[in-house]
Amino acid sequence: MRAVAAIVLAFWAALFFNEPAFAEKRVALVMGNSAYQNVIRLANPGNDSAAISATFKSAGFDVVELKHDLNVSEMRRALRDFSDAVRDVDVAIIYFAGHGIEIDGTNYVIPVDAVLERDIDAFDEAIPLDRILTVIEPARQLRLVILDACRDNPFNKTMKRTIGARAVGRGLAKVEPTSPNTLIAFAAKAGSTATTRTARSPPRSLNICPSRAWICARRLVLPAMTS
């Protein structure tokens, strides 16, 4: 979580202090899923999401929505409601902590009530990353998704494959954002996993998918992170 907080603070300090007119309106949706009903529960997402939410609020974001332990219908509703807040904003950020999986090259974040008996059940029981990216697309200046969710697929041992060739990956797949000024931050590099932490575990590093926005932002962010 410290690594996630560091990058959020770096973006805020570098972009917002150095460019005071950059962000007239900033909004964030923060989701932390810990209380999974059908797979292992996670200890950290509740605390991590609360800390990230407090960071955004202290940074003066206009809207910060904090949601905990969402089932699939609640996650869909949260994204739909947040899409209203994203209209006419400069910066939109969505943070998710919880279980995440990759199936056949598509990344999904997992609601707490997911069963995922079959791989195709992800279409109904999970939220694809593309949907999250679509929600923040109206933001004019910066669109940031932080997925603190690169973990081993907890459904892997029980999930039935409907097609033998369908791949269920280790960790989350690499994504190249197609929209300008869009960043996606993962808790581990593509195809690898970030293990569930205890309170004494060292902080994770973040892997950020390269994009034109990242190349531009990197020049501002790195000095803030290393100073």
Side-chain angles (χ1 to χ4, degrees):
M1 182 266 159
R2 292 179 183 176
V4 176
I7 194 168
V8 171
L9 287 172
F11 269 104
W12 172 64
L15 294 177
F16 301 161
F17 273 129
N18 294 341
E19 300 288 343
F22 176 84
E24 295 179 357
K25 187 172 183 180
R26 296 163 290 165
V27 298
L29 171 63
V30 179
M31 297 179 285
N33 282 355
S34 295
Y36 283 91
Q37 301 168 13
N38 301 296
V39 291
I40 187 171
R41 297 166 64 98
L42 300 174
N44 300 298
N47 291 334
D48 288 356
S49 58
I52 288 291
S53 175
T55 298
F56 289 139
K57 289 180 179 178
S58 66
F61 272 58
D62 299 275
V63 174
V64 180
E65 299 180 7
L66 174 60
K67 307 286 185 180
H68 285 143
D69 296 328
L70 301 174
N71 61 35
V72 64
S73 62
E74 291 168 340
M75 285 191 73
R76 288 172 178 162
R77 187 180 308 115
L79 290 169
R80 182 189 64 203
D81 293 345
F82 187 64
S83 67
D84 293 331
V86 172
R87 297 176 184 173
D88 299 321
V89 304
D90 296 289
V91 175
I93 301 177
I94 293 180
Y95 169 91
F96 174 82
H99 280 304
I101 65 174
E102 177 260 319
I103 299 177
D104 214 23
T106 298
N107 292 324
Y108 297 89
V109 296
I110 309 301
V112 296
D113 61 340
V115 178
L116 296 179
E117 181 180 350
R118 303 167 300 171
D119 51 9
I120 61 173
D121 292 339
F123 296 124
D124 301 311
E125 300 179 15
I127 307 296
L129 175 59
D130 283 348
R131 178 164 185 171
I132 295 174
L133 291 170
T134 300
V135 168
I136 62 173
E137 191 169 354
R140 290 184 290 263
Q141 297 292 339
L142 176 64
R143 311 170 189 102
L144 174 61
V145 175
I146 303 173
L147 296 180
D148 199 0
C150 291
R151 294 178 168 87
D152 281 315
N153 180 357
F155 301 91
N156 196 42
K157 292 182 180 180
T158 59
M159 182 185 292
K160 299 176 183 177
R161 305 318 195 252
T162 56
I163 301 176
R166 190 184 300 275
V168 178
R170 172 180 171 83
L172 296 179
K174 183 177 180 179
V175 178
E176 294 286 355
T178 57
S179 299
N181 303 322
T182 300
L183 303 175
I184 305 172
F186 295 100
K189 67 180 181 180
S192 64
T193 61
T195 56
T196 303
R197 294 166 293 149
T198 66
R200 297 182 179 180
S201 299
R204 292 193 290 263
S205 62
L206 280 177
N207 178 69
I208 299 182
C209 295
S211 68
R212 292 181 181 177
W214 167 241
I215 293 172
C216 295
R218 183 176 183 273
R219 299 175 183 175
L220 294 174
V221 173
L222 286 182
M225 295 182 69
T226 57
S227 59

